[in-house]
Amino acid sequence: MLIDLLHEPDAEALLVFLREQLRAGGRWLQIAGEMEVLYHGRAASSADAGDYLLLLKPDGSLQVHAPRGIKPLNWQPRTDELSLELDGGRVVLVAERASPHELVRVAFLDTALAAALAPREEAGFVLQGSEAEMQRALTRSPELIEPGLELLDVELPTDVGGIDLFARDRHGRLVVVELKRAKATHEAVHQLARYVQRVSEAVGEPVRGVLAAPEATVPALERLGALGLEFREVAALPLDEAVDAQPGLFDPP
Amino acid sequence: MLIDLLHEPDAEALLVFLREQLRAGGRWLQIAGEMEVLYHGRAASSADAGDYLLLLKPDGSLQVHAPRGIKPLNWQPRTDELSLELDGGRVVLVAERASPHELVRVAFLDTALAAALAPREEAGFVLQGSEAEMQRALTRSPELIEPGLELLDVELPTDVGGIDLFARDRHGRLVVVELKRAKATHEAVHQLARYVQRVSEAVGEPVRGVLAAPEATVPALERLGALGLEFREVAALPLDEAVDAQPGLFDPP
DNA sequence: ACATGAATATTGGAT
DNA sequence: ATCCAATTTTCATGT
């Protein structure tokens, strides 16, 4: 996996390394050291000379990491064109993207480490606890929202957005359900209120609105009540505790 | 800046390296090679054995990068507790966070590269083109929204959120302005509509609503019109072209 | 290409 | 601690 490794290269050695590895393709490039970074595109930024880590992946994504924080200081999700120059004895890398037109320019002042690796194809990855998974589970078992609930539609489009779950309750009333995988905020309440109003106008009868989430903020619950809407607690992941005998979201179908 | 560098270390060497560098503190650790990664917390995920890059920063942030993509495959913005074990000849790192309770577990199967670096303090960084900057510019020169506009308040709080700019027009009518630094969507329109309705209820007179953004989606403009609200084009960054003689957002005060 | 909404969103600010 | 809104959000998905 390790292809090349330079320890404190000078500008010339770094330039040769970058030229070779970029031409070869399929490389993960890591460069750590003192750099200056400029960005111009949707916004514009300038980073003074400091210690950064540049990571360039085979898909053309680029990120510059500062000493702190999970998010890169500068980044580019894709680059359409990469160029290298020598500017006054410094290696300068310019990564451009066509649409939107953006540019990240990295000037290497003092490089501690430059590594080229050739990673294999991406391996398998599974994620549990997404909103999509909640939606599938509740589609299979709508009675987990309330007994007698009969599902009519999933992701029902309206002109103010898609309704997560659309159903009829045991008394024959229509129910709009808005799902959130994490704590719901007042935005979710407003989203639900818009759907309920729109459906209610369309069918000419009162429609219930249910916010289904593991929890909600206090202001969200207040607003929900004021608007005559309802909250139903639904977990996104099974409990850490041993699974009990009650039927739940996460039982096999 | 470079403190230590291991080339294809075995499990024992990697364990010693990690113990030392974690104890020393203030280190940027990069480990590239074959790993298996588990995450459990707000969601849960499992990554099969594959080539990944682990980056651990002095602030306790951790990210595991896959061969593609700008976003890490797994991450943790902060870690409260880091532990190392040897499990069947493999080094295993467990990073835990207390609130919310989350855990990332990385098992190192075959390590290509392990590097420890000691970056200096973060250097200066400036970003232009944020919504906050637009707000400051328009606060200084509200006439850029329309002639005769008199600013009454900035970030005026309501029970449905903060109003970006609150003003009175040359005819004495109240105006609520919602700012977006990039293309505005129907969500921004709904946000504006909520503010306008709330203020209008509170003062008992009609209130204008203006969406100020560089552009807006077609559905957003349609909804805006249907709700009797207005659009005003405002750029977030100066033009690429030479600055002309007209007064603009980006002139010095 | 455009619009929409989720995300383990993260981050910073206000209360 | 909680809540809120911005973000160069990125990303997948549907039209």
Side-chain angles (χ1 to χ4, degrees):
Chain A
M1 185 188 176
L2 183 61
I3 302 290
D4 199 0
L5 181 63
L6 301 184
H7 182 192
E8 314 224 338
D10 60 17
E12 205 175 319
L14 181 62
L15 186 64
V16 169
F17 167 90
L18 286 170
R19 282 211 177 116
E20 269 184 25
Q21 298 303 332
L22 290 174
R23 192 183 43 215
R27 299 286 194 261
W28 240 350
L29 301 183
Q30 293 172 238
I31 298 164
E34 191 180 9
M35 308 172 196
E36 250 178 36
V37 191
L38 284 176
Y39 156 72
H40 196 279
R42 289 164 291 176
S45 73
S46 162
D48 293 342
D51 290 337
Y52 301 110
L53 169 68
L54 170 71
L55 176 59
L56 200 52
K57 295 187 184 184
D59 63 350
S61 63
L62 171 156
Q63 43 199 303
V64 178
H65 281 273
R68 298 169 178 282
I70 196 86
K71 292 178 70 180
L73 184 78
N74 282 109
W75 68 95
Q76 199 143 260
R78 286 189 329 278
T79 44
D80 297 314
E81 208 178 313
L82 264 176
S83 65
L84 288 167
E85 336 160 0
L86 256 180
D87 177 7
R90 297 172 178 177
V91 179
V92 173
L93 180 145
V94 179
E96 281 185 87
R97 159 151 92 143
S99 174
H101 182 57
E102 304 200 276
L103 169 160
V104 174
R105 181 185 184 276
V106 182
F108 300 96
L109 306 185
D110 186 30
T111 301
L113 185 71
L117 300 112
R120 286 164 299 173
E121 290 281 299
E122 217 152 320
F125 180 77
V126 286
L127 178 77
Q128 292 173 72
S130 65
E131 186 178 307
E133 206 183 22
M134 284 176 71
Q135 195 177 59
R136 282 191 294 273
L138 293 170
T139 299
R140 283 197 306 268
S141 311
E143 71 278 4
L144 291 170
I145 298 173
E146 65 180 37
L149 198 73
E150 183 201 349
L151 198 70
L152 301 177
D153 221 324
V154 177
E155 287 297 335
L156 176 67
T158 74
D159 62 346
V160 287
I163 293 174
D164 287 337
L165 298 174
F166 190 51
R168 194 177 290 282
D169 75 9
R170 86 200 105 158
H171 303 298
R173 283 172 303 193
L174 292 171
V175 184
V176 169
V177 180
E178 173 65 26
L179 284 181
K180 288 292 167 212
R181 68 163 302 287
K183 185 184 271 198
T185 71
H186 67 103
E187 277 298 324
V189 176
H190 290 301
Q191 218 175 331
L192 177 61
R194 283 206 307 273
Y195 299 152
V196 167
Q197 190 190 358
R198 198 48 65 109
V199 172
S200 158
E201 282 168 13
V203 301
E205 57 177 290
V207 174
R208 291 175 54 202
V210 174
L211 177 60
E215 52 180 334
T217 66
V218 171
L221 288 173
E222 282 169 1
R223 190 148 310 276
L224 202 70
L227 292 165
L229 305 171
E230 305 158 49
F231 178 70
R232 175 71 171 90
E233 185 186 324
V234 177
L237 276 177
L239 296 173
D240 285 337
E241 323 303 324
V243 174
D244 61 23
Q246 300 298 321
L249 270 186
F250 307 99
D251 297 322
Chain B
M1 186 188 175
L2 182 61
I3 300 292
D4 199 2
L5 180 62
L6 301 184
H7 182 193
E8 313 225 337
D10 60 18
E12 206 176 318
L14 180 63
L15 186 63
V16 169
F17 168 90
L18 286 170
R19 281 209 177 119
E20 270 183 24
Q21 299 301 333
L22 290 175
R23 192 184 42 212
R27 299 285 193 258
W28 239 351
L29 300 183
Q30 296 176 58
I31 297 164
E34 191 178 9
M35 308 171 195
E36 251 177 36
V37 191
L38 283 176
Y39 156 70
H40 196 280
R42 288 165 292 177
S45 74
S46 161
D48 293 342
D51 289 339
Y52 301 109
L53 168 67
L54 171 70
L55 176 59
L56 199 51
K57 295 187 184 182
D59 64 348
S61 64
L62 171 157
Q63 45 199 304
V64 179
H65 281 273
R68 296 168 177 283
I70 195 89
K71 292 177 65 181
L73 184 78
N74 282 108
W75 69 92
Q76 200 142 261
R78 287 191 325 279
T79 44
D80 297 313
E81 208 178 313
L82 265 175
S83 65
L84 289 167
E85 334 160 1
L86 258 181
D87 177 9
R90 298 172 178 177
V91 178
V92 173
L93 181 146
V94 179
E96 281 185 87
R97 157 150 95 144
S99 175
H101 181 57
E102 305 201 274
L103 168 160
V104 174
R105 181 184 184 276
V106 182
F108 300 96
L109 307 183
D110 187 29
T111 301
L113 185 71
L117 300 112
R120 285 164 300 172
E121 289 281 299
E122 216 156 331
F125 180 77
V126 286
L127 178 76
Q128 292 174 69
S130 65
E131 187 178 305
E133 205 184 21
M134 285 175 71
Q135 196 177 60
R136 281 190 295 270
L138 294 169
T139 298
R140 282 197 305 266
S141 312
E143 71 278 5
L144 291 170
I145 297 173
E146 66 180 39
L149 198 73
E150 183 201 349
L151 198 68
L152 300 177
D153 221 323
V154 177
E155 287 297 335
L156 175 67
T158 73
D159 60 346
V160 288
I163 292 174
D164 287 337
L165 299 174
F166 190 51
R168 194 177 291 281
D169 73 11
R170 84 200 107 160
H171 304 297
R173 282 171 305 193
L174 292 172
V175 185
V176 170
V177 181
E178 172 65 26
L179 285 180
K180 287 292 165 213
R181 68 163 300 284
K183 185 183 269 198
T185 71
H186 68 104
E187 279 299 325
V189 175
H190 290 303
Q191 218 176 328
L192 178 60
R194 281 207 309 273
Y195 298 152
V196 168
Q197 191 190 357
R198 198 46 67 110
V199 172
S200 157
E201 282 168 14
V203 301
E205 57 177 289
V207 174
R208 292 174 54 200
V210 175
L211 177 60
E215 52 178 335
T217 67
V218 171
L221 289 173
E222 283 169 0
R223 189 83 31 84
L224 201 68
L227 292 165
L229 305 171
E230 306 158 49
F231 178 71
R232 175 70 172 91
E233 186 185 324
V234 177
L237 275 179
L239 295 174
D240 285 338
E241 323 304 322
V243 175
D244 61 23
Q246 300 298 320
L249 269 185
F250 307 99
D251 296 319

